[in-house]
Amino acid sequence: MTQDAKSNGRLIAVVGPSGVGKDSVMAGLKDAIPEIHLVRRVITRAPELSSEVYDAVSVSKFKAMAQDGAFAVHWGAHGLHYGIPITVKYQLRRGTDCLANFSHKALVQASEVFPHLLVLNITASSETLAQRLASRGRETELEISKRLAEADKPLPAGLQVIHLANDGPISQTVARGAALLQPASV
């Protein structure tokens, strides 16, 4: 392993379909691995509309921030804008692994920005996803159908990916995820 690989942290891009439990898994991983840093995204969404902790901004503010270089990576999805603050690079240079909620569409850009990118792809069965999406009550049946149709979207080629199923109890998913992110030393 090179000195660079030893000294820099990994950006762990958490992806998965809507309803897969990314926020719950990320919170559990933070509890299981206290030294990991949870990246707080900037989103053009009202703050009360998600369980995720994020910085809510207007579209005009987001565009100004992007223009000013405030984001390491940013993208648009589902009518919203999302940004990973440039300050994450400071944490990575300190050797801290950083966990960030990501979109499939931003992974190629992220791989160009973050040399130690690791993708944590959280999955669940279509039955589990449909049940979770319906229980949150945020989408219509048509919107849920569209989200389920996108659930099996393939990841871009050439990325380092860890797959983590989240169909059972969250405690078991988190335990498996923590073990995958911190393999035992030989």
Side-chain angles (χ1 to χ4, degrees), residues 2-139:
T2 67
Q3 179 59 31
D4 181 53
K6 287 182 189 174
S7 61
N8 286 322
R10 300 172 294 177
L11 180 76
I12 303 165
V14 180
V15 298
S18 189
V20 80
K22 293 183 294 287
D23 294 333
S24 297
V25 171
M26 289 174 67
L29 288 171
K30 174 63 177 166
D31 289 342
I33 311 169
E35 64 274 14
I36 207 162
H37 173 73
L38 283 180
V39 176
R40 187 175 172 128
R41 298 189 300 176
V42 176
I43 307 175
T44 58
R45 171 173 49 203
E48 67 277 357
L49 294 181
S50 174
S51 61
E52 177 184 358
V53 177
Y54 58 94
D55 292 324
V57 298
S58 67
V59 172
S60 60
K61 173 74 173 169
F62 188 96
K63 289 180 179 179
M65 290 173 74
Q67 183 72 28
D68 290 342
F71 304 121
V73 177
H74 62 90
W75 65 92
H78 307 292
L80 300 171
H81 298 280
Y82 300 83
I84 302 297
I86 194 77
T87 54
V88 73
K89 288 185 171 188
Y90 170 75
Q91 294 288 340
L92 295 169
R93 281 194 301 270
R94 291 180 55 216
T96 304
D97 283 344
C98 296
L99 203 58
N101 192 331
F102 252 82
S103 168
H104 284 74
K105 68 169 44 177
L107 290 174
V108 171
Q109 181 188 4
S111 71
E112 295 165 359
V113 174
F114 302 107
H116 304 293
L117 179 72
L118 173 64
V119 178
L120 179 60
N121 183 36
I122 303 175
T123 62
S125 69
S126 56
E127 294 81 15
T128 298
L129 293 175
Q131 181 181 20
R132 288 179 185 161
L133 289 170
S135 69
R136 16 187 236 200
R138 291 196 321 225
E139 292 108 350

Side-chain angles (χ1 to χ4, degrees), residues 17 124 147-154:
R147 288 195 183 268
L148 291 173
E150 293 179 11
D152 291 329
K153 191 183 301 185

